[in-house]
Amino acid sequence: MARAVLTNLDKQNKIKIEQPFTGYFKISQGFGKNLNPTYKADGLLGHTGLDFAMPNGTPIISPINGTVIAISLDIQKGEGVSVLSDDTFQVNGIDCKFDCIHWHLQDKSIVVKIGDKVSIGQLLGLSNNTGNSTGPHLHFSIIPLATDGSRRTIFPLNGFNACVNPEPYLDLTPPPVVYP
């Protein structure tokens, strides 16, 4: 099955970013949607990524070649893994890398450590319902970061914790149904 491919934000230099799972899962909440009191209390304009509804225990895989830069436990987001892309690309004329963030992973399912080099398709952990969540899903966010060693965000005051909408860059078309 073909996997989704993202291009960089200014669509000039291509960077390959694949889906963080195998198969097709429906988006249960889009980027910027659902301005609820939780987002307002955090000073956000809305949701900071895409939520993909999926069964508990779905393998979550690295969408990029990169390095694990964070493994987190957050009361709101549950357990999560951040992978920084090896590839460099440009956003608004600035060299960047993608920080791909995966939240609501199953307790103790994360199989990577900070500093690990990961490849596209490598298992990171399993989906679940950890943190402030109404059902099992994967929350997937992308933050463009500077490559000057500071890991400074490119859009720090955009109202979405520096995240950008991954949806325009993903092929979310369901795969064709194949009948035996």
Side-chain angles (χ1 to χ4, degrees):
M1 171 192 305
R3 297 173 56 80
V5 175
L6 296 175
T7 57
N8 76 351
L9 299 176
D10 64 6
K11 297 193 177 197
Q12 290 178 4
N13 301 315
K14 290 187 178 181
I15 180 171
K16 184 176 182 182
I17 303 241
E18 300 194 19
Q19 293 181 116
F21 47 79
T22 300
Y24 175 78
F25 296 100
K26 179 183 175 194
I27 294 175
S28 57
Q29 185 173 5
F31 182 88
K33 308 287 184 198
N34 191 8
L35 183 55
N36 68 33
T38 301
Y39 301 127
K40 282 184 182 181
D42 290 340
L44 299 173
L45 296 176
H47 193 236
T48 61
L50 297 177
D51 286 350
F52 294 92
M54 59 182 56
N56 284 333
T58 300
I60 303 304
I61 57 178
S62 182
I64 55 175
N65 294 320
T67 304
V68 176
I69 59 170
I71 295 175
S72 304
L73 176 59
D74 181 278
I75 193 139
Q76 294 275 347
K77 301 168 188 153
E79 294 196 23
V81 175
S82 288
V83 178
L84 183 65
S85 67
D86 285 342
D87 293 319
T88 300
F89 57 101
Q90 284 200 337
V91 176
N92 298 337
I94 301 168
D95 285 343
C96 303
K97 292 185 179 271
F98 273 150
D99 178 5
C100 294
I101 305 165
H102 314 76
W103 283 113
H104 303 297
L105 302 185
Q106 189 175 91
D107 186 37
K108 297 181 175 48
S109 76
I110 297 171
V111 297
V112 292
K113 300 182 302 296
I114 294 174
D116 282 358
K117 296 294 283 177
V118 295
S119 300
I120 294 170
Q122 183 174 335
L123 181 67
L124 301 175
L126 304 174
S127 68
N128 200 258
N129 193 28
T130 58
N132 184 11
S133 173
T134 59
H137 71 283
L138 170 69
H139 174 93
F140 180 67
S141 294
I142 295 174
I143 300 178
L145 298 177
T147 60
D148 60 7
S150 68
R151 292 196 183 145
R152 133 186 89 75
T153 59
I154 302 303
F155 304 112
L157 302 175
N158 71 349
F160 298 99
N161 277 349
C163 297
V164 294
N165 184 2
E167 188 170 5
Y169 310 101
L170 284 169
D171 176 9
L172 299 173
T173 307
V177 176
V178 177
Y179 296 98

